[in-house]
Amino acid sequence: MTDFIIETNQLSKSFKSKQALRGLDLRVPAGSIFGFLGRNGAGKTTTIKTLMGLLRADSGSAQVFGIPVADADNSVGIRRRIGFVTEDKELYPYMTVEQIIRYTRSFFPQWRDDLERRYLERFELDPKVKIPALSKGMRSKLMLLLAISRGAELLILDEPTDGLDPAAIEDVLCELVSIAASSGTTMFFSSHQLAEVDRIADHVGIIDQGRMVVSGSLDDMKLRYQRLQVVFADSAKIPTHWSEGIESLRQQGRTVSILASRNVEDIAEQAQSIPGTTVERFPVTLKEIFLEHTRSN
Amino acid sequence: MIFRLNQSSGVPLYLQLMEQVKHAVETGALREGDQLPTIRSLAEELVMNPNTVVRAYRELEHEGVVELRHGSGAFIKESAADRGRLIRRAQAVVHSAVERLTLLGLTEEELRRVFENEISQARPEGQWRKLSGGKP
Amino acid sequence: MLWYKGWLETRYRLCMALGITAFFLYTLHSFPPQAKNQIFAVLQNTSAILLGMICTMLAGAGIVTQPAFQRTKGLHGSMLFTLTLPVSRLRLLVVRAGLGWVETAATIGAFCCGIWFASPFLRATATSAQVLEYGLTTLVCMSAIYFLSVLLATFLDDTWRTWITLMAFIFFWWFSHRVSLPAYVDIFSAVGKASPLIAHTIPWSTMAFSAVVSLALFFAAWKVAQAREY
């Protein structure tokens, strides 16, 4: 049995104005870095809030560490083992850096003093500064420090690099990778930045309109998806029915551009069997996969 | 050994890493017994997922390019280094062929077609065995 | 460290509450009541209103609480942070409601001691033990108002909560003067004409009623806090 540290089954949640989640199936393998991608309003934050016990799903189930999140007492126990970064990086405006560290530490018996010291230094956080005096980037880093120093098995990060400048983003990604390498902590992060996800995620899940449209190992996805550029001798020869596996097909004159998510060999063969065609194959980027699955169809 | 990966490309990172290691062996930049960076240090240096590095190293071991010694790291195998030397000799052969053909007046496109024809003609006769470290 | 955080959030409110109390006591001292009916008036009306206001102010116990002087932002970000910590909502509610209640008690205590020193007439007509009884009575009776504010704080933001509690308080106060209420319900009398300082007895039934109402309101607050979605 594969070890999923987060698992949801047909999770559904609607609010007064809209249906946020429509039967979401999410599986996050333990020890992975999972990039949760989706457009604004697709349901990323709703999913994360449900996992953290802030919202209750209408139907379906969600488990973290194999424990159902629906039970309030369980939820407290689950949260004790998670390092979390909120979407808006707001903390208490009346505390200093030092105060909020002490405060947060009191809830986590497994707090890592060594990590706290390390990140205070690396992120250049002055303990005496009041939180409102910090820039948004510094607040994000402080939240990360608070999340990581808990010594948790799982990190759930909602847009961790939001509002950070490129140098700060680099710092943050570097630290996340370092943690993954040294402790095997699972990381689940939602992001708009495909470039980041491309770099450090080994698994991705793309959510669109409340549903998981594609998910799995990023490397496998890149291997499975291919773009075929087929030039026909005569546009009349272009087949009307194609083999399975085509996500999209665009035709311009005698050229047909195909994005296939599987079965590429059969599709290529079908094209090549028509005399006079040339077939070229190109790899597909994560961005193309993302756009393909999230643009309104 | 400096690795440069294109992290936004459609080619999976582990494949890119493997390609670069194999290329380094072929050009002689990596020799038998040379140690690849540890998983952790490479992941941190390139800011990439350590699992990806693990996968690349495992695949390289599967293909016989490296040997994973438990606790010590990944080392280039002698057979891979030998293969690398063979590739370099092959490169020299192709180099002189290309030189001569260019003197004959062939364009780059024609050169490419000539080579591809040769390869695809040879294939159906089964002359090309699956290459995974054996000598022809 | 939830108490610590609560303290950081409410210490200025407490100062304000004590300040208002001090100001009131100063006024009392400058125009001391000379007769029984004047004390009666002071206790029944002015102090009841004052204490009601104080309860309202100090009951920022909702999980929806926003720190003072912070712009209203709908769902306050730092509350998100609090709710994602490994604490149950019950514990959050208990600490904040508890802290506010302690602060209310402290203010009432200050008020009672102050009233004793501010009015020589009172010193002449009541014993110091009765002042303590008065303090206790006031605290328990005003708790009903306090916990109403706590309940409202679980689903309203600070501004709405304060105004609605105040409206409710004034309405009931006005109502109690219009209609003759049974003794155990009339908390305003309990801090006024029926209080230990005037009637020289402890209005146990009113205190019991208020205690029950307080518990019920706290329970309701807990249920709302538990059910709420953020």
Side-chain angles (χ1 to χ4, degrees), chain A residues 3-18:
Chain A
D3 210 1
F4 294 119
I5 207 165
I6 297 176
E7 188 170 349
T8 76
N9 281 298
Q10 291 296 296
L11 202 63
S12 298
K13 175 73 188 169
S14 61
F15 298 105
K16 282 192 293 264
S17 41
K18 67 179 274 196

Side-chain angles (χ1 to χ4, degrees), chain B residues 72-98:
Chain B
S72 335
F75 296 84
I76 304 294
K77 285 182 87 165
E78 191 184 323
S79 50
D82 289 343
R83 196 106 200 116
R85 275 187 283 275
L86 179 64
I87 301 278
R88 285 198 287 287
R89 273 174 23 218
Q91 195 77 48
V93 168
V94 171
H95 177 79
S96 54
V98 168

Side-chain angles (χ1 to χ4, degrees), chain A residues 235-251:
Chain A
S235 55
K237 297 240 178 83
I238 299 174
T240 40
H241 289 295
W242 287 90
S243 309
E244 281 189 351
I246 295 187
E247 297 287 337
S248 80
L249 192 147
R250 268 178 277 275
Q251 181 186 341

